[in-house]
Amino acid sequence: MISILILTKNEQQDLPGCLQSVAWSDDIHVYDSMSTDGTLDIAKQFGATVTQRPFDNWASHQNWGLQNVPFKHPWVFYIDADERMTPELVQAVQAAAAAAKEEVAFRLQRRDFLLGTWLKHVQTSPFYMRLFRPEKMRYERLVNPISIADGPVGQVAGYLDHFPFSKGMGHWIDRHNGYSRFEAQQIISNRQAGERFSWVKAFTAKDFHQRRYHQKELFYRLPFRPLVKFLLLYVAKRGFLDGRAGFTYAMLQSIYEYFIVLKVRELEAAAPMSSVAAQRGNP
């Protein structure tokens, strides 16, 4: 009743554990971004179906997968290689898919781990939409995509365990350095294509996407944004209750935010130069 979708790129270290946690499904798909390590061999050893496509950006890549991967079942559970389904979650998603009436998707709670500690408080958002009917789901944004379901959304119990630091701190930093470039591009794109920023609409707009756009812009315009991000996670969300892991994670997220700030400035500085160069090239 439920197919599995796993996104991969050089995941030979984490993929076996992920595949073991979803071995209950008879339709497992590894959607790969042209891995160069042993990822594909591992997928085939577990009997998974492999689909490959060069990665461009998150929303485009995920939307293409939902439209083109040949799922056997009407429901899909999406999982990353560094995530694991707990037995309780497996039972919950199976029951939800079997009993679903109007629902087209279900949210679940994810537990992120760092230094052997569950980041129970400092985590930005613990709920993710991972069980869905693929024809009713789409993604938006170049990175950290927003899940948009075309219909009612339910919620299931159990935990999806996430180990984002399984490959080491350096890998996390390298990856988020890349993410920050996409985030900066998304910010510039939003400002060029979106409507003029409104403080009022950030809190009162009836349309969810319009309200989210203005809320994002409000956050992006805050002075000392990396410091604000740290205080939000460590103080407002009580990340200090997660001990050393909470402090480390809040610091890393503030550094990531600063990467985004710097790259937005870089893109904004390059834009006038590009405009001048284009004008000089005109006859």
Side-chain angles (χ1 to χ4, degrees):
M1 179 175 286
I2 303 175
S3 298
I4 303 295
L5 178 64
I6 309 173
L7 269 64
T8 59
K9 173 65 182 290
N10 293 337
E11 292 288 359
Q12 65 179 12
Q13 173 182 312
D14 289 334
L15 186 58
C18 177
L19 287 167
Q20 290 169 4
S21 78
V22 298
W24 51 270
S25 173
D26 66 349
D27 187 43
I28 300 174
H29 294 265
V30 170
Y31 179 28
D32 184 73
S33 301
M34 317 310 290
S35 290
T36 57
D37 63 355
T39 295
L40 300 188
D41 291 335
I42 292 170
K44 292 172 183 176
Q45 290 171 11
F46 277 82
T49 301
V50 175
T51 300
Q52 286 192 292
R53 175 182 183 270
F55 182 86
D56 45 5
N57 66 69
W58 282 98
S60 173
H61 194 66
Q62 288 174 291
N63 288 331
W64 188 95
L66 296 188
Q67 296 166 8
N68 293 277
V69 172
F71 299 116
K72 176 180 177 181
H73 301 299
W75 288 90
V76 169
F77 188 89
Y78 162 58
I79 184 172
D80 287 328
D82 59 358
E83 296 174 332
R84 309 286 182 267
M85 292 188 75
T86 60
E88 296 78 13
L89 180 59
V90 172
Q91 294 178 4
V93 299
Q94 290 175 331
K101 295 180 180 179
E102 295 181 351
E103 297 92 348
V104 300
F106 289 88
R107 295 187 186 90
L108 54 89
Q109 188 170 0
R110 192 176 75 178
R111 296 188 293 195
D112 285 19
F113 290 86
L114 170 61
L115 303 175
T117 300
W118 171 19
L119 300 173
K120 187 175 182 179
H121 301 90
V122 76
Q123 194 175 1
T124 306
S125 174
F127 290 97
Y128 296 84
M129 212 180 298
R130 293 301 190 86
L131 177 66
F132 48 78
R133 298 182 68 93
E135 74 278 8
K136 297 292 185 178
M137 177 63 68
R138 76 178 192 277
Y139 297 94
E140 292 183 357
R141 298 191 84 249
L142 300 176
V143 67
N144 296 319
I146 302 170
S147 304
I148 301 175
D150 184 18
V153 177
Q155 188 167 315
V156 296
Y159 292 108
L160 178 67
D161 287 345
H162 182 215
F163 303 92
F165 299 91
S166 60
K167 299 182 184 69
M169 195 66 67
H171 180 269
W172 189 96
I173 292 172
D174 288 343
R175 192 170 187 179
H176 280 73
N177 182 39
Y179 288 172
S180 66
R181 175 172 56 85
F182 280 122
E183 284 284 6
Q185 291 172 345
Q186 185 70 65
I187 291 170
I188 297 298
S189 176
N190 287 349
R191 291 176 179 175
Q192 291 174 343
E195 60 183 292
R196 187 174 180 180
F197 168 67
S198 167
W199 289 75
V200 176
K201 290 182 179 180
F203 299 99
T204 62
K206 294 182 179 180
D207 181 77
F208 167 78
H209 302 292
Q210 187 183 44
R211 188 169 68 252
R212 183 177 177 85
Y213 165 78
H214 291 286
Q215 288 175 349
K216 282 278 189 182
E217 273 301 307
L218 173 60
F219 179 67
Y220 291 143
R221 292 164 186 258
L222 289 176
F224 307 107
R225 197 168 84 231
L227 177 59
V228 172
K229 183 70 171 285
F230 176 83
L231 294 175
L232 284 173
L233 297 180
Y234 195 67
V235 179
K237 291 182 66 66
R238 300 182 299 163
F240 58 85
L241 294 177
D242 295 327
R244 184 162 62 97
F247 177 80
T248 302
Y249 186 77
M251 283 294 296
L252 287 170
Q253 286 292 339
S254 66
I255 292 170
Y256 171 52
E257 202 65 46
Y258 193 50
F259 285 171
I260 299 171
V261 170
L262 293 176
K263 291 182 182 181
V264 168
R265 290 176 184 171
E266 190 174 58
L267 289 174
E268 288 177 336
M273 296 174 60
S274 299
S275 177
V276 170
Q279 291 176 1
R280 288 178 177 174
N282 293 332

